[in-house]
Every structure is written in structure tokens, then in C-alpha cells.
Amino acid sequence: AVRGGRGAVVRGSRYAIFSTCVANAFFLSGCDPQIYRGQTTLKADGSVSRAVYQPSDGTWDSERNRDVWKRVTYAARIPHERWSGDIAQLPLAVHDEKHPYVAAWGDFESPAKLPPNVVKQGLRGLPDGKLVVEYAREDCVFVVEHRWKETLTDIVTLDDMHRARQELADLLIPLAQKILDEALGDEYQTANPVDWLKGTATPWFFEMTDAVFEMGARKRLSLEEKSEKSLAMLATICERHGLRLRDEAGKLLDGNRFETAVRTYAAQVLRDNLRRRDGEKVPDEVIDELLEWIGGPTDTDGRGQRYEQAAEKVVSETFGGNEALAEALVPLVARILGHYWPGLFENCRQFHYTLETPGPIVETNGALLSDHRVRWTFEATDAFPLGYAMECRSLTIQSELEKELLGRSVFENRETVLQFVNLVRSSDALRETLRDCAAAHGMAPLYKARDKSAPASTADQSFNALIKVLKLPKEPEKESLR
């Protein structure tokens, strides 16, 4: 197992790589989360005001960013339930033990000019994980549409995950065999345990990672209620391979019962596959000693010490030491599990981001705080595997132009506004005609364009549909055509 990320201590293959590792990494890890808070105001012209609050360590470099932010200061760690007010209202403070967070705010001419504030550096040439903003402003004359999408990216793709897990198996299985041979010597043959790793454990692990990828893509890896169903799916896969992780009532095992079930299963696998060359039964002490080593820290009585020494020797001879092995292993694990899993690469990252829009919000995947304000609350692990996107669509009515050209308000509700926008966005001819109307300070160009189109044609139907949406008469008054 690899623990502690880059430069980690690498031990022998742990007996629960396909059950406890996945379950702990995805569902059972507890952590003190790092808080990432963002407050963004999108303005009608497409410019933005932005304030951020996050840990000052890691990729954040306040000195490098001072020139792009209006103000940068430090702050105490404030949990979400105790937070109130705006980031820009935080008092100025210096960086010390009581102020481990950094806060910054500023104004920017467009979302494209927003400085990067969240970056998870990729390991050994892997892409960085970061927040990426995509923004589109579309002028439909009477209505301006704003589309906001800010994505926390991850690095996992299905094809590359498949390659990485095969590379991981190709690296670990020969390593495990060398360690067993070194520790057990000529007295034992290790071909059968290795065959089990290749023929049973590897397909099992592959099946588990496919399931985890699918659950992540469907956003079913939450630490909330959905995790119970996800764990049940993984337990079903384990049961197909002989590891039962549910009790007689069908409830998932937890705590000591979970550990006991995995250890009992692993012990049986070793008894079934490990052989003495003289044909004698493998002593229970040997099985227990091996389990003690691959299942956790070596006991103070020295049990498992020979495996520890064998692993150190084999890793040194094969890779040059634990650090070099970690350099090979950690990127493979990241390509399978992504950038952000707590306990594997870093602490939890908890995000609380808000967006204020210039017009009413008509679509979002966040929580609406008001007609113009939305909040997203998520953890970095929610970005596995395809990224976590904060999406919002807002529509701003050009009231002055509406009053000038139509003489009244016609966009009485969101349904009417959406109907108008969807109609105009589908036709360049409609958009150009409405621009002509704005230039002419009247709706005559709309009727003229309609009359030039072939009767009952698609263009004719579009112009008539627009006239209906704008609640205009089917035919203009003669005065309006002059």
C-alpha cells in the first residue's frame, strides 16, 4: 500500500487492496477538511468581482498573487456553520498559527481574467487539477443570456484508468513474489499465491475499479446516504469472489466485523495456495505472521519482521528504495482514483462557492439562495472522475429597450423569457432582424422580414412565432410601416 502520497513509505501488498482500500478511500475516511470558499458577482457587462478564502499553504502563493488581487490578507479557519458575511469584510491580519488561511478579493474585466486560486499539482507529469471557468454571454436583443460553468477538474479517464490499473498489477505482483521468495526462502513455493493474484485478485480489482468509476461518474460516491448503496454494490462484487461482507440479515459489516471478515478470507486464501516444498502443512504461525505483516504495522514482538526486512531488501535492489517505488506507484494510484482522495494524497477539501448573477437564474445545479444567487457545497472528491461542474444560467431583460420598442412589458414570467431566448438562439435571421428593429427604434423590420419570407416556410413560421411571443398584432398598423 502507498500511504502519505509523494515520498510515502511503501510496504508489502495489503490483504484488502480490493476491499478495505477502496472502501476506506471512498467512504470511510474521516478528516478535518480544508475549507475553500469563493464569492463571485457576475455583472451585466460580463465583468466579475471575486473573493476567495482558502488554506494559505499548498499551491497558493500570496506574494505572486498580490498584483492581481485588490487586497490579500490572512484569516483564521472558520467552519461553514460559523461563517457569516462577505470575505471582503475580513479584517487585515498577518500570517501566523492563528491565521492559517488566506483571503483575497478583486475586480476583473472578464471571467477569463480570473487568477487561478485552486490548483492541485499533478504528480510526475500528470495534469494539474484546478478550477476552470467557462463563461458565455449571448445578446438576444431584448434579453441577454449569461451561462456560467466553473469546473473542478480531475485527471481520470476510463481508458487511462484501465491502463494504469494494469500497470499497477504488473508492478506489484512481481514485487510481491520477490518479497515472499526472499522472506520464505527455499522452504516454500510461491507460484500458487502469485497465480491467485493474477487470476483472481487482479480481475476482482479491475471489476471494483470499473464500478467505482461508474459510481463516480454518476455522482454516487457521496459520503452521505448514497454511500450505503455504493458500498452495497462493492460488497456484491466481493461476494462474487468469495468475500462476504454482509451479515445474515443482509446488513453491511462495519468496524471489527469488517476487519475480521477480510482477515479470515485472506487467511483462507493463503492456506489454500501457500505450499511447503516438503509437502507438510503450512503452520498457522506462518499464516498469522504473514497476515500481520500485510495487514498492518509489525507487532512489537517482532512478528512479520522477516517480511519487513525482505521488502526493504527487494525494494532497494529493484527500485533503489522506498522513495523511488513511491515515485512509480503514486502516479498510478492517482490515475485510478484521481487527485483528491483523503488519506491517499491529502486532506479533505471542502468547497462553498456562491455566484450572484445580473438577472434571474433559470437553470442551475446548485442551491438557490435567491432569484439572483446560487451556492454550491461539495468536496473535492466529488470531482472524481470527470470533474465537478458548477453550472448556472441567468437571463437579463433589457427593460428600457422592451419599453421603447414594445411599449409595455411582455416578459411576465420565466417561461415567456425562456421561450423567447430559445426561439431567437435557434435563428440568426431572427436575431439580426431584432437588431434592425433596435436600430430603427420600432418593430417594422420584423414584419418586413416576415413578409419577404416564403409563406409557410420555416423562416415564415419562426417570424410568426416571434411575433406571437412578443404579443404583437399579426399585422402591423400602417403607421408603423412608414
Side-chain angles (χ1 to χ4, degrees), residues 324-345:
L325 177 54
E327 288 290 326
L329 278 178
V330 172
L332 293 177
V333 176
R335 288 164 59 193
I336 297 170
L337 299 181
H339 266 322
Y340 305 107
W341 291 107
L344 292 176
F345 306 118

Side-chain angles (χ1 to χ4, degrees), residues 411-458:
F411 301 113
E412 299 171 350
N413 51 53
R414 284 184 174 86
E415 184 177 4
T416 304
V417 180
L418 284 170
Q419 188 178 6
F420 168 80
V421 170
N422 292 337
L423 183 62
V424 173
R425 290 180 73 236
S426 67
S427 171
D428 291 337
L430 292 183
R431 193 194 309 263
E432 289 302 318
T433 300
L434 286 176
R435 287 173 180 164
D436 292 340
C437 292
H441 303 285
M443 299 307 297
L446 174 58
Y447 291 101
K448 290 179 180 179
R450 189 271 313 268
D451 293 341
K452 288 181 180 179
S453 62
S457 64
T458 301

Side-chain angles (χ1 to χ4, degrees), residues 23-48:
N24 287 338
F26 284 86
F27 305 108
L28 306 179
S29 296
C31 66
D32 187 21
Q34 295 180 327
I35 299 170
Y36 289 75
R37 187 170 284 114
Q39 297 169 345
T40 305
T41 300
L42 176 64
K43 301 175 184 178
D45 62 357
S47 63
V48 290

